[in-house]
């Protein structure tokens, strides 16, 4: 089973994700977010908070990311996964979605990059399966 959540007003201080329902995350095994600024970039930490363990990275994330051309893992200032990590032990991953010039009137989508993000996400969710990947 998969769950999806779409938070509102991330750009205004993560207002939607600040109100996340902790009970809703009780059976969530892993959190995948598409909110990094480019195709070759994913988050390692967010607001200084580690999003996933080294073991999870080496075993699952890094090989899949390498196959999809994602090789840069950065510290992001903030995004909704910050709220998930602050309030749960769920491992999170944040990768690009194909959007460019985010939060501007000229924002647009690079379809090829969006399709690449979809393929990466699909492979990642298949690899994660239904197991819980939480920090201990």
């Amino acid at each position: 089973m998969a769950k999806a959540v779409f938070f509102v007003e991330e750009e205004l201080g993560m207002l939607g994700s600040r109100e996340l329902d902790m009970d809703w995350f009780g059976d969530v095994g892993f959190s995948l977010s598409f909110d990094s600024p480019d195709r070759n970039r994913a988050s390692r930490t967010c607001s200084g908070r580690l999003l996933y363990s080294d073991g999870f990275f080496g075993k699952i994330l890094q090989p899949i990311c390498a196959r999809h051309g994602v090789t840069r893992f950065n510290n992001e200032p903030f995004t909704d996964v910050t709220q998930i990590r602050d309030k749960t032990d769920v491992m999170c991953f944040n990768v690009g979605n194909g959007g460019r010039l985010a939060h501007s009137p000229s924002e647009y989508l690079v379809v090829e990059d969006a399709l690449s993000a979809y393929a990466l996400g699909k492979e990642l969710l298949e690899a994660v399966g239904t197991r819980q990947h939480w920090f201990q």
Side-chain angles (χ1 to χ4, degrees):
M1 175 175 83
K3 287 183 167 183
V5 62
F6 298 90
F7 295 117
V8 297
E9 299 181 324
E10 181 248 358
E11 296 81 12
L12 301 175
M14 300 172 285
L15 297 180
S17 59
R18 285 182 193 274
E19 302 299 322
L20 68 87
D21 179 357
M22 294 296 295
D23 292 334
W24 191 86
F25 278 87
D27 63 350
V28 170
F30 171 72
S31 174
L32 175 60
S33 175
F34 294 93
D35 193 31
S36 192
D38 71 47
R39 182 177 183 171
N40 182 32
R41 180 173 166 172
S43 302
R44 174 68 173 138
T45 60
C46 198
S47 299
R49 190 89 192 256
L50 188 63
L51 297 178
Y52 44 84
S53 70
D54 290 339
F56 186 77
F57 177 76
K59 183 178 180 185
I60 296 177
L61 290 178
Q62 195 278 328
I64 292 171
C65 286
R67 282 194 290 278
H68 293 274
V70 176
T71 59
R72 291 179 30 226
F73 300 90
N74 298 327
N75 177 47
E76 304 294 347
F78 60 88
T79 189
D80 289 317
V81 295
T82 304
Q83 294 297 313
I84 296 169
R85 278 297 298 128
D86 282 350
K87 297 173 181 173
T88 74
D89 289 325
V90 175
M91 288 196 204
C92 303
F93 188 59
N94 182 44
V95 69
N97 60 16
R100 297 291 183 276
L101 301 177
H103 316 302
S104 79
S106 302
E107 185 170 0
Y108 64 97
L109 181 74
V110 177
V111 174
E112 179 184 339
D113 289 357
L115 292 173
S116 177
Y118 169 79
L120 184 150
K122 183 174 185 261
E123 184 177 350
L124 180 57
L125 292 176
E126 288 169 352
V128 167
T130 59
R131 298 178 309 278
Q132 287 191 319
H133 298 276
W134 288 28
F135 285 91
Q136 300 301 318

